[in-house]
Amino acid sequence: MHADGDGALRVAPLGGLGEIGLNCLIIEYGGHAIAVDCGLMFPDSSMLGVDLVIPDVEYLRQLGDRFLGFVITHGHEDHIGALPYVLRDLAVPVYATPMAAGLITARLREHRLDARVRIETFRPRQRWQMGPFAVDPIHVTHSIVDAVALAITTPIGVVVHSGDFKIDHTPIDGASPDMQTLAEYGSRGVLLFLSDSTNVEVTGTTPSERSVRGGLESVFVEAPGRVFLSTFSSHIHRLQQALDLSAATGRRVVMVGRSLVNSMRIAMDLGYVQAPLSLFAEVAELGSLPANRVTVLTSGSQGEALSALTRIAMNDHAQVRIEPGDAVILSSRRIPGNERTIDNMINHLYRRGAQVFHTRNAPVHVSGHASQDELATMLNLVKPRYFVPVHGEYRHLAHHVRLAHAVGLSSASTFLIENGQVLKIDAAGARADEPIPSGRVFVDGKGIGDVGDVVLRDRRHLSQDGLLLAVLAVDQKSGDLIAGPDFLSRGVFEEADAPRFFDVAREIVVATLNQIAPESRTDSLEVTEEVRKALRRYLGKTLDRRPVVLPFVMEM
Ligand SMILES: [Zn+2]
Ligand SMILES: [Zn+2]
């Protein structure tokens, strides 16, 4: 740390460089620091029992009141999702656009933190000062409304952070990205440029959001039954297109799923959705409307276990059922790691008689991230002295560095850094500096019931409460128990007591399996989650402890 400052600018990612998600980047000058974004990552299959992952912000805690606050580029989970966790013990303001602020506030409310956190909203080109940093937000286009790039003026030069963006010249709301302001900064001189690498492996240009309209339209026109459309809840322009097509094809719109209803309400309050209220219908009206006069917008395009669409696919939703003739559009990217769950859901949807349209069989989605040509355009406009690629795995960052060289930057002015590494820039130039503490924190926020009890599960937790492993094999078709459950524990019971506890645990697992609806019994994720919850409840009640419970459900 550099309490008095040494005239140097330091840039240090806490997350998002070397991985997709967890975006959080510190900019430090004169002993003061701000952080751009604070996102989460959903766990991959190796992180069993973990609900989500957030960056370790110990370094920001160490800065104390020299840490001035978070500046948020847009409201996606990988940019705001960690805020409810890190703001528990960081009393700093959060600066965000209205849409992002609405989504953050909703999250904080769930965690009962909304009254404690100061959120300042800004609009593009409304500059403000944070210590030595003058922040100027610049409108960009992305798969969420209200996304910005940031031009941050420091005493030794301007840092431009692209946020997430693509260059969409024909966006749904007519608000093209503000290339002019970016070019003006470029011509006046930019010290450092940080740019989104997510789609750097894709050649050419990402098509406009408007280009999915045709693909969606043919489904809306041709589906003999209802049209179900699922996309990310905050993808307001995609949802707007679904509303427009519903109006054009005489369909009334029913919204199902809490996160979808939430973000639509926020967007409507802000005037970002153009639709007459008469277009919308209540879920209760579904039965009385002719099938070809209905659109159902739902959350759950990733096959998330508890989402509306998964429940509908499993015939496990109280109010909505799929009927033969219905069409389901998964209007979103398949997030790596979710492929199997999504395919399972698609299988269930077909089983109910629906036809399913998704990225691999229909033009129903375009990315919100810039491809190579747009990234090159951005580098040419901003013309930075130094360049650091952000938002990507190592291969994306490496590719983006190579692209920067092709655009004309020298290898002395491009830096590939990863989480915890520090780039120091001063009068003598740019170079690597002492790394700062960084890492991942695992959050287990489900299966406890009360949000106040959310456990931050790190190594400390494991060492204090121990581990219980449950292994069972189920029949792939029927979901019947074939073998096990067998148990293995560390640091939970005295060795002599373990068999007694295992006997009861075995009965609990069998009873839990019997309680799961036949529809869900073949869904190993659902079974895993139910078994985990039941075992945790049992151990909590009998031992008053919450060890890490890891069920392994093998399908045979
Ligand atoms: Zn992102
Ligand atoms: Zn994004």
Side-chain angles (χ1 to χ4, degrees):
M1 283 190 291
H2 304 270
D4 307 319
D6 53 3
L9 177 76
R10 281 181 178 75
V11 174
L14 286 182
L17 275 73
E19 66 210 344
I20 299 278
L22 286 185
N23 298 300
C24 183
L25 182 123
I26 301 173
I27 299 175
E28 199 176 327
Y29 180 87
H32 288 94
I34 58 175
V36 176
D37 293 333
C38 191
L40 60 71
M41 183 164 80
F42 292 102
D44 61 38
S45 53
S46 70
M47 304 172 195
L48 275 165
V50 171
D51 291 314
L52 48 95
V53 185
I54 61 174
D56 184 345
V57 295
E58 177 56 28
Y59 181 72
L60 295 176
R61 256 178 239 126
Q62 287 172 14
L63 286 176
D65 56 12
R66 289 179 294 121
F67 173 46
L68 304 173
F70 290 100
V71 182
I72 304 300
T73 60
H74 64 288
H76 276 153
E77 289 286 7
D78 57 324
H79 297 259
I80 66 167
L83 286 172
Y85 303 94
V86 307
L87 287 172
R88 279 174 204 191
D89 47 12
L90 281 175
V92 295
V94 177
Y95 295 81
T97 55
M99 184 72 200
L103 292 166
I104 293 166
T105 304
R107 270 302 141 79
L108 292 176
R109 200 174 294 137
E110 287 168 20
H111 291 256
R112 300 197 193 94
L113 282 172
D114 51 317
R116 249 171 57 190
V117 178
R118 198 178 107 217
I119 298 182
E120 302 282 346
T121 56
F122 62 79
R123 291 179 185 281
R125 303 317 313 276
Q126 281 181 350
R127 296 170 62 120
W128 75 96
Q129 194 78 28
M130 296 170 81
F133 309 101
V135 185
D136 184 6
I138 301 165
H139 172 69
V140 293
T141 41
H142 183 43
S143 44
I144 184 170
V145 293
D146 262 359
V148 294
L150 301 169
I152 301 165
T153 302
T154 76
I156 68 161
V158 176
V159 178
V160 173
H161 189 304
S162 74
D164 280 351
F165 76 100
K166 73 176 183 183
I167 302 177
D168 190 341
H169 293 296
T170 57
I172 299 303
D173 60 1
S176 300
D178 187 356
M179 305 308 281
Q180 192 186 337
T181 296
L182 287 163
E184 280 166 18
Y185 272 103
S187 61
R188 271 181 267 141
V190 168
L191 181 65
L192 171 67
F193 183 37
L194 306 145
S195 186
D196 178 17
S197 311
T198 310
N199 267 3
V200 70
E201 293 175 327
V202 183
T203 56
T205 303
T206 305
S208 169
E209 171 61 24
R210 210 171 276 272
S211 70
V212 296
R213 185 175 166 112
L216 298 179
E217 186 168 26
S218 50
V219 181
F220 275 78
V221 169
E222 286 159 27
R226 293 168 301 175
V227 173
F228 288 73
L229 183 137
S230 184
T231 185
F232 288 109
S233 302
S234 58
H235 201 333
I236 301 305
H237 285 168
R238 188 67 49 83
L239 294 164
Q240 176 72 56
Q241 300 203 76
L243 296 179
D244 294 345
L245 287 166
S246 300
T249 55
R251 295 173 183 272
R252 304 224 12 235
V253 177
V254 174
M255 293 191 286
V256 179
R258 197 171 54 110
S259 65
L260 178 82
V261 172
N262 260 346
S263 66
M264 276 295 267
R265 189 171 297 146
I266 294 167
M268 286 169 129
D269 285 348
L270 293 169
Y272 293 159
V273 177
Q274 313 303 324
L277 281 178
S278 59
L279 184 63
F280 297 94
E282 295 295 323
V283 184
E285 297 175 66
L286 270 178
S288 56
L289 292 166
N292 63 354
R293 290 283 170 265
V294 173
T295 300
V296 180
L297 302 180
T298 79
S299 48
S301 60
Q302 298 301 310
E304 302 94 322
L306 302 169
S307 71
L309 189 57
T310 299
R311 294 211 157 142
I312 293 168
M314 300 283 207
N315 214 11
D316 188 27
H317 194 281
Q319 295 145 304
V320 188
R321 297 170 69 93
I322 294 277
E323 307 286 351
D326 289 347
V328 180
I329 306 172
L330 303 182
S331 189
S332 63
R333 174 173 83 100
R334 298 152 68 87
I335 292 182
N338 293 348
E339 290 91 347
R340 226 200 104 195
T341 338
I342 296 173
D343 284 341
N344 275 344
M345 181 174 71
I346 293 175
N347 285 328
H348 281 293
L349 289 166
Y350 271 109
R351 202 164 277 145
R352 312 249 151 268
Q355 197 176 352
V356 187
F357 301 86
H358 49 84
T359 47
R360 287 173 309 159
N361 69 4
V364 292
H365 176 65
V366 288
S367 171
H369 293 274
S371 303
Q372 278 172 19
D373 288 357
E374 295 150 273
L375 295 172
T377 299
M378 202 64 140
L379 280 159
N380 275 323
L381 276 183
V382 176
K383 291 199 289 270
R385 174 122 47 102
Y386 301 111
F387 172 66
V388 172
V390 296
H391 305 170
E393 294 178 15
Y394 195 89
R395 67 172 206 268
H396 300 111
L397 306 179
H399 206 125
H400 208 170
V401 163
R402 221 183 310 146
L403 182 71
H405 293 163
V407 167
L409 269 78
S410 73
S411 50
S413 50
T414 53
F415 292 87
L416 201 171
I417 58 174
E418 289 186 276
N419 298 336
Q421 296 178 341
V422 178
L423 180 70
K424 173 181 176 179
I425 306 176
D426 58 17
R431 62 214 170 273
D433 198 20
E434 289 282 293
I436 59 169
S438 71
R440 293 172 170 185
V441 177
F442 294 155
V443 178
D444 179 357
K446 285 191 195 129
I448 299 173
D450 180 55
V451 175
D453 278 339
V454 169
V455 181
L456 280 193
R457 187 160 75 208
D458 51 15
R459 289 193 207 101
R460 196 171 59 239
H461 176 39
L462 260 176
S463 65
Q464 281 172 357
D465 289 329
L467 169 80
L468 175 68
L469 211 64
V471 183
L472 52 148
V474 297
D475 184 280
Q476 202 179 6
K477 288 216 177 63
S478 65
D480 291 342
L481 186 64
I482 300 174
D486 294 317
F487 299 97
L488 189 73
S489 69
R490 287 288 179 273
V492 185
F493 320 102
E494 293 298 330
E495 205 177 321
D497 294 338
R500 186 162 54 85
F501 281 104
F502 289 170
D503 284 344
V504 183
R506 201 164 286 127
E507 283 167 29
I508 287 171
V509 171
V510 171
T512 303
L513 289 176
N514 287 335
Q515 278 165 19
I516 299 175
E519 274 296 318
S520 309
R521 210 174 291 152
T522 52
D523 178 351
S524 66
L525 284 182
E526 172 107 13
V527 172
T528 302
E529 183 59 21
E530 291 301 323
V531 167
R532 190 163 72 92
K533 277 196 288 196
L535 289 174
R536 288 176 65 110
R537 222 177 294 127
Y538 163 59
L539 294 170
K541 252 195 311 200
T542 53
L543 297 174
D544 197 21
R545 295 172 68 182
R546 301 203 171 274
V548 176
V549 176
L550 295 181
F552 282 95
V553 178
M554 295 182 289
E555 294 172 298
M556 324 265 289

